[in-house]
Amino acid sequence: AKARHALVVIEPGTPAGYARILALRQQLIGLGAFVAAPCPHERPCPLAAPDWCHFNQRLPRSQAHRQIKGAEVPFEDERFIYV
């Protein structure tokens, strides 16, 4: 009831995260939900293994973050998948 207007679920952009999102997507469609993104339809996902859907977001690293990770670059690319 709290998600009558919109619901966003985000998982790590890994094959396992993609599988969880696909399963959730099918469950939501079965309950009558309409999918707005990333694919704006209720048809099955057109990707076939070994392909899997994910997106990248570049995030800045603080100096402390770089030191903790032993990183040289001032950013990190995070992969994610959502529905």
Side-chain angles (χ1 to χ4, degrees), residues 11-44:
E11 283 281 337
T14 62
Y18 173 60
R20 287 189 296 271
I21 287 291
L22 280 183
L24 175 63
R25 183 179 184 274
Q26 285 307 115
Q27 186 177 16
L28 291 170
I29 291 169
L31 293 170
F34 298 99
V35 179
C39 293
H41 60 76
E42 288 74 46
R43 295 184 305 274

Side-chain angles (χ1 to χ4, degrees), residues 44-81:
C45 178
L47 292 178
D51 288 335
W52 47 281
C53 183
H54 66 283
F55 305 90
N56 290 318
Q57 177 63 49
R58 184 159 284 180
L59 302 171
R61 287 180 174 156
S62 67
Q63 184 177 4
H65 189 192
R66 285 195 306 271
Q67 289 174 343
I68 290 168
K69 287 199 144 188
E72 300 290 325
V73 295
F75 60 85
E76 185 166 356
D77 291 330
E78 290 290 339
R79 293 180 178 177
F80 67 96
I81 179 64

